[in-house]
């Protein structure tokens, strides 16, 4: 994110009326159009890459919403950056300074008043950077994010909660044999504890997904599939944490092709504040705030998995050119 970023965000606000970006510049993964993404802001491009990575379909600025009129003439409108058709979700990315955020918030309020059925989510610079950092790119990727801020859940609290989850699953699946599928690698600790709290015949399996880049663009690939036959079996997908929900959505779609009798989701942690997809969670250990958490299997750059509690990692944001 260079200096040009803030400048063009400001320009964008001035140009909001008589909007400059037209339908022909629409980008759609769904239709595999040849695309020119050079018109996007760097952060928009990065988020678009991330959506590509997860195979989430999106359109770039597909629709403008008139906000104010002078007679027949539209005097103000708002064009959210991205639209996720499968989630019916608009995303507005903002990395601007506070005065402009206030402006944007005012427009969003008006949009929600005028178009109550339209779902728009405002992602702040911080959210975007964390999202990108998590996937190894963006300005926070190499950041020195080291210090433990506070313990959220002690080892005792976790043990107690995992026991409760195990009992609920045991009750819900009485008389059946289930398959637990864990998503590597953050889930190993939770999986090991959870399965011992379930009093049913069960088998376990693991999956892993990762990113690939090819000439046709980035995508997501299953690097380790669950080799077990799932056809007609009740499956519980076990996750360490559900954040945006994009990984989960991808995995559910993948598992559904294997014809299981049912797929439930059990996650230890739920970071609901950041959800961008509509995924159903059947068993949730704890809700966590919009912070980066580590321990009990969860990592930051591979570290902290061996903590027996769950703690918040304090992010130390690096200096970014555009902020100077
Ligand atoms: P999602 O696709 O955004 O829901 O991301 C889910 C995955 O991101 C999880 O399975 C974790 O591997 C990772 N993740 C998300 N938030 C955190 C966190 O706070 N700490 C550690 N890993 C996280
Ligand atoms: Mg994970």
């Amino acid at each position: 994110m260079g200096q040009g970023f803030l400048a063009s965000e400001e320009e964008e606000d001035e140009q909001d009326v008589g909007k400059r970006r037209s339908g022909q510049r629409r980008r759609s993964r769904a239709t595999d159009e040849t695309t020119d993404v050079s018109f996007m802001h760097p952060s928009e491009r990065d988020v678009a890459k991330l959506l590509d990575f997860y195979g989430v379909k999106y359109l770039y600025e597909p629709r403008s919403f008139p906000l104010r009129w002078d007679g027949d003439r539209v005097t103000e409108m708002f064009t959210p950056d991205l639209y996720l058709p499968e989630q019916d979700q608009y995303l507005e990315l903002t990395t601007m300074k506070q005065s402009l955020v206030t402006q944007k918030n005012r427009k969003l309020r008006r949009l929600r008043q005028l178009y109550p059925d339209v779902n728009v989510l405002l992602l702040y610079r911080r959210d975007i950077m964390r999202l990108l950092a998590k996937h190894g790119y963006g300005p926070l990727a190499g950041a020195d994010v080291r210090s433990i801020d506070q313990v959220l859940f002690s080892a005792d609290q976790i043990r107690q909660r995992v026991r409760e989850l195990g009992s609920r699953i045991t009750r819900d699946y009485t008389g059946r044999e289930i398959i637990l599928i864990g998503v590597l690698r953050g889930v190993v600790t939770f999986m090991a504890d959870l399965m011992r709290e379930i009093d049913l015949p069960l088998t376990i399996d693991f999956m892993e997904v990762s990113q690939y880049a090819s000439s046709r663009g980035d995508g997501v690939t299953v690097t380790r599939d669950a080799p077990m036959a799932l056809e007609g079996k009740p499956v519980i997908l076990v996750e360490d944490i559900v954040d945006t929900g994009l990984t989960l959505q991808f995995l559910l779609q993948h598992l559904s092709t294997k014809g299981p009798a049912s797929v439930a989701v059990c996650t230890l942690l739920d970071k609901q504040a950041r959800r961008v997809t509509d995924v159903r969670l059947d068993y949730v250990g704890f809700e966590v705030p919009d912070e980066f958490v580590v321990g009990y299997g969860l990592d930051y750059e591979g570290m902290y998995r061996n903590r027996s509690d769950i703690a918040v990692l304090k992010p130390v944001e690096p200096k970014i050119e555009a902020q100077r």
Side-chain angles (χ1 to χ4, degrees):
M1 264 173 245
Q3 238 142 6
F5 185 68
L6 284 181
S8 49
E9 279 276 15
E10 282 172 71
E11 276 163 33
E12 175 185 327
D13 258 53
E14 283 156 24
Q15 294 172 4
D16 241 8
V17 178
K19 196 76 179 187
R20 70 290 177 201
R21 292 161 177 165
S22 62
Q24 77 206 24
R25 281 166 146 177
R26 253 176 228 187
R27 175 177 167 78
S28 164
R29 272 298 272 193
T31 53
D32 238 342
E33 282 167 28
T34 15
T35 50
D36 167 21
V37 292
S38 59
F39 56 90
M40 287 185 175
H41 287 145
S43 74
E44 291 172 348
R45 207 162 37 227
D46 285 346
V47 172
K49 254 186 168 173
L50 201 65
L51 295 172
D52 282 346
F53 166 71
Y54 283 110
V56 176
K57 290 174 188 152
Y58 62 89
L59 297 167
Y60 182 67
E61 295 191 336
R63 186 172 165 193
S64 291
F65 298 89
L67 295 182
R68 282 175 210 285
W69 296 261
D70 177 12
D72 278 349
R73 202 171 61 87
V74 175
T75 56
E76 186 178 42
M77 45 187 208
F78 187 74
T79 309
D81 296 315
L82 298 167
Y83 177 63
L84 313 183
E86 286 174 346
Q87 289 76 27
D88 188 23
Q89 176 78 60
Y90 286 90
L91 298 181
E92 174 64 14
L93 311 176
T94 184
T95 60
M96 309 177 306
K97 48 188 192 218
Q98 197 51 47
S99 59
L100 293 168
V101 171
T102 310
Q103 258 248 57
K104 207 166 250 193
N105 270 321
R106 184 187 59 74
K107 285 190 172 190
L108 273 177
R109 267 199 306 278
R110 178 129 181 109
L111 179 83
R112 287 182 178 131
Q113 266 168 18
L114 293 172
Y115 309 92
D117 294 337
V118 172
N119 305 313
V120 195
L121 195 69
L122 190 64
L123 294 180
Y124 290 88
R125 193 174 61 85
R126 224 187 146 73
D127 299 327
I128 299 166
M129 290 203 298
R130 283 196 201 156
L131 196 65
L132 295 173
K134 209 180 70 187
H135 297 281
Y137 52 95
L140 266 186
D144 189 24
V145 185
R146 295 285 134 141
S147 61
I148 294 293
D149 205 21
Q150 86 191 92
V151 172
L152 278 184
F153 307 107
S154 68
D156 273 350
Q157 283 174 300
I158 298 170
R159 199 171 306 122
Q160 176 58 31
R161 189 66 189 135
V162 173
R163 193 167 297 152
E164 287 165 13
L165 291 176
S167 310
R168 274 191 49 207
I169 291 172
T170 304
R171 210 174 337 115
D172 292 353
Y173 289 85
T174 306
R176 305 174 77 183
E177 181 179 320
I178 61 173
I179 303 179
L180 302 181
I181 298 183
V183 186
L184 291 172
R185 287 175 236 166
V187 81
V188 292
T189 323
F190 179 42
M191 184 71 131
D193 287 345
L194 179 70
M195 67 178 173
R196 285 176 288 178
E197 299 294 346
I198 299 175
D199 188 16
L200 294 172
L202 64 80
T203 52
I204 66 166
D205 214 333
F206 292 96
M207 292 186 62
E208 191 166 22
V209 290
S210 78
Q211 173 179 20
Y212 69 87
S214 78
S215 53
R216 298 193 59 230
D218 297 344
V220 68
T221 183
V222 174
T223 50
R224 188 194 194 282
D225 205 347
M228 220 172 253
L230 307 182
E231 192 136 349
K233 309 256 178 72
V235 168
I236 301 180
L237 187 62
V238 185
E239 265 280 21
D240 49 356
I241 184 167
V242 179
D243 186 13
T244 61
L246 293 167
T247 306
L248 184 58
Q249 179 181 259
F250 173 82
L251 286 167
L252 287 174
Q253 212 171 331
H254 177 80
L255 285 177
S256 70
T257 64
K258 295 166 177 283
S262 59
V263 183
V265 176
C266 175
T267 183
L268 179 65
L269 304 177
D270 176 10
K271 208 189 277 182
Q272 211 173 54
R274 291 165 37 91
R275 199 65 38 79
V276 298
T277 60
D278 185 24
V279 283
R280 197 191 73 243
L281 307 179
D282 303 274
Y283 304 95
V284 175
F286 303 100
E287 291 222 353
V288 288
D290 183 7
E291 304 282 358
F292 198 85
V293 296
V294 293
Y296 195 70
L298 289 127
D299 73 308
Y300 174 73
E301 295 197 340
M303 303 300 284
Y304 304 104
R305 293 193 199 275
N306 55 339
R307 287 183 71 97
S308 52
D309 56 12
I310 293 173
V312 171
L313 200 61
K314 197 190 199 121
V316 183
E317 287 191 27
K319 282 191 188 124
I320 290 163
E321 256 187 276
Q323 279 181 307
R324 281 183 199 144

